[in-house]
Amino acid sequence: MPKILLFLLVFSFTKIFGQTFSPIELRADLAFLKERIEEIHPNPYKFIEQNRFQQVYDSLYKIERPLAVKQTFAHLLNLTRAIRCGHTSILVDERLIKPNNVNPQFLPMDVAIFGDKVYVSRNLSENNLLVKGTEITAIEDIPMPKLLKNLSKYTFQNGDGQNPDVETYYLQRNFRRLLYLFFDEQDELHLKVKINKEEKSLSVKTQPLAYLREMEAERNPIRNVDFYKNIYLSENTAKTSVLRIRSFDGNEFENGNFHSEIQNIFKKIAEKQSKNLIIDVRNNVGGGLDYADEILKYLLVKPFTKYQISSSPNIKDKKKALSVNRFYEPVNDFQFRGNVFVLINEGTFSTAVYLAAHLKNQENVKLIGTTCGGASDGSSAGKFTSFTLPNTKFTVSLPLLKINYNATNELYLKPKHEVRQNYADFVAGEDTAFNFAKELVKSANTY
């Protein structure tokens, strides 16, 4: 290979992956980012006082040494995460994790986190010793409590406000990607695990996403085709109906018509004359608010107030009130008037919280699980803008609209019955919160 071509290749690689940013560049981007947050975000001080946000910024601005790309990402995250808005983010780009078409390789397993302990949830590796429930005590000789603390510096997804369970939830949800970000890509990762109370060391070969999907389909086949839907009835009897709502993304509703799909679901429930309805919105990160309104029409007894939208006073080209208070009337056909049990958790976010918050105030509704990851009085979302930081070139996404849910003034939506998944049920494949709801169904008319 000609020397000049080799030089250009090395230079290009160093420029992209070995890049560092000077304190001057970092300070300039921090100042730019802070200015944009304060100018664009419709409610930046909902969860943090302005003087506290200034203190966070000042501490970050004191940076005196150059930072590599990964360190820079973590440094900037400190500022966006300070406002504690789950719809505000810095995007992970190819400098941190290779794009899918380049086949980045990840740890081939999912995990469950209980406190500072990590357990195998689904093993997609070639090592059959890593059965569900196996404790991972260290990776690359870093004890798990210390590793979790390190990974949390790169957590790029957040909830609203200060729910301590949310960080653990997103650590668990993005575990393999955070490992990749922290360790960079490795051909294999060295684990220490506890098997029969004895600690063992073993190596696990990392795998691309295509392999993980193939192994997932082979080892955990989906036998119910409805599982792939974002909204479906998993059970429908005269005693109990179970409505699973995985997302409010309208593009994936049956036939692309959420009105007809939801009507058909409640028609089926009415035909069975079900007396109890369990609605599961755990791990539902939201979507279109109008889809939730369509569902509420079949569940609320009285007319309810639609969400209200406004924008930041600094956004001159946006109307201050894009929607006004409107009352939605309940439908007359196929209304459900039995007992309703709503399953929520720290992964319940945005539109899913909107639905649960409106239902909470009804006498026939009980919320079960853990405190939602999204704020219950409203969120900053709806429409978004993105921009690139001038020096570090990271892309930032900010919401443009402030949404009032018109359901409650409480910041956090807490369950009537707090029920957490325990380790024994996790290993046995039992759903602790769902089982609790089923027990309530048995005594639904006595509490």
Side-chain angles (χ1 to χ4, degrees), residues 130-387:
L130 297 170
V131 298
K132 183 177 182 178
T134 301
E135 183 182 356
I136 305 172
T137 59
I139 298 179
E140 296 294 317
D141 290 324
I142 302 178
M144 197 52 67
K146 182 178 180 180
L147 181 58
L148 291 177
K149 187 175 181 180
N150 285 327
L151 296 184
S152 69
K153 297 175 184 176
Y154 302 98
T155 302
F156 44 84
Q157 283 186 287
N158 307 282
D160 291 331
Q162 302 184 51
N163 182 344
D165 292 330
V166 172
E167 183 170 307
T168 299
Y169 173 81
Y170 284 112
L171 274 174
Q172 177 176 297
R173 182 185 179 94
N174 297 307
F175 189 76
R176 65 166 70 113
R177 296 185 71 196
L178 291 170
L179 277 181
Y180 182 107
L181 215 165
F182 181 68
F183 288 116
D184 298 319
E185 184 168 306
Q186 306 289 333
D187 291 331
E188 61 181 18
L189 288 168
H190 305 284
L191 279 58
K192 289 183 179 178
V193 300
K194 281 187 178 179
I195 299 176
N196 297 325
K197 298 183 179 181
E198 180 182 348
E199 189 168 74
K200 296 181 179 292
S201 296
L202 51 86
S203 296
V204 175
K205 183 180 179 182
T206 59
Q207 299 287 354
L209 286 175
Y211 173 89
L212 299 183
R213 295 190 185 104
E214 181 181 334
M215 294 305 298
E216 174 66 25
E218 179 181 320
R219 297 185 182 184
N220 303 288
I222 302 299
R223 294 180 173 85
N224 183 358
V225 293
D226 285 339
F227 180 82
Y228 292 103
K229 294 182 179 180
N230 275 342
I231 180 169
Y232 65 98
L233 283 171
S234 65
E235 183 178 330
N236 191 28
T237 68
K239 178 70 174 178
T240 307
S241 295
V242 180
L243 178 60
R244 312 276 185 180
I245 310 176
R246 300 167 60 224
S247 170
F248 287 99
D249 181 355
N251 294 329
E252 296 186 31
F253 276 71
E254 183 74 5
N255 301 322
N257 187 333
F258 67 91
H259 175 85
S260 298
E261 174 69 2
I262 292 168
Q263 183 184 60
N264 187 48
I265 284 172
F266 281 94
K267 180 181 179 181
K268 290 179 179 178
I269 295 172
E271 288 172 345
K272 289 292 185 180
Q273 298 183 0
S274 292
K275 297 178 177 61
N276 302 282
L277 175 61
I278 298 174
I279 302 175
D280 189 353
V281 289
R282 292 173 298 176
N283 309 320
N284 183 327
V285 298
L289 287 162
D290 291 338
Y291 307 146
D293 282 335
E294 197 67 31
I295 294 172
L296 289 171
K297 292 179 186 179
Y298 293 90
L299 297 170
L300 297 182
V301 177
K302 299 178 181 179
F304 65 98
T305 307
K306 178 184 171 73
Y307 60 89
Q308 186 176 12
I309 298 176
S310 60
S311 63
S312 167
N314 296 319
I315 307 300
K316 306 299 183 183
D317 60 338
K318 299 290 182 183
K319 294 180 180 180
K320 297 295 174 59
L322 298 180
S323 71
V324 296
N325 288 343
R326 290 194 296 171
F327 287 100
Y328 271 20
E329 294 286 346
V331 296
N332 293 319
D333 296 329
F334 316 129
Q335 282 185 344
F336 184 81
R337 292 293 174 260
N339 301 299
V340 179
F341 307 90
V342 184
L343 303 180
I344 59 174
N345 71 350
E346 54 273 18
T348 305
F349 187 66
S350 194
T351 299
V353 182
Y354 172 77
L355 177 82
H358 273 283
L359 290 173
K360 182 181 180 181
N361 298 326
Q362 290 206 154
E363 292 184 0
N364 65 324
V365 176
K366 296 290 184 293
L367 268 57
I368 302 166
T370 54
T371 301
C372 291
S376 59
D377 62 339
S379 64
S380 297
K383 292 185 177 181
F384 297 84
T385 188
S386 61
F387 55 89

Side-chain angles (χ1 to χ4, degrees), residues 13-62:
F13 181 88
T14 303
K15 182 176 178 60
I16 296 174
F17 298 100
Q19 192 174 14
T20 61
F21 302 103
S22 70
I24 293 175
E25 291 174 312
L26 294 167
R27 293 189 201 115
D29 276 11
L30 281 165
F32 183 85
L33 177 55
K34 178 176 181 289
E35 179 182 344
R36 298 293 280 171
I37 289 174
E38 293 178 325
E39 176 189 3
I40 295 173
H41 197 288
N43 202 8
Y45 303 123
K46 178 176 182 177
F47 299 109
I48 187 173
E49 294 181 356
Q50 187 171 357
N51 63 344
R52 175 57 188 149
F53 181 66
Q54 183 66 44
Q55 290 172 3
V56 173
Y57 169 76
D58 290 342
S59 66
L60 296 170
Y61 194 81
K62 291 178 181 178

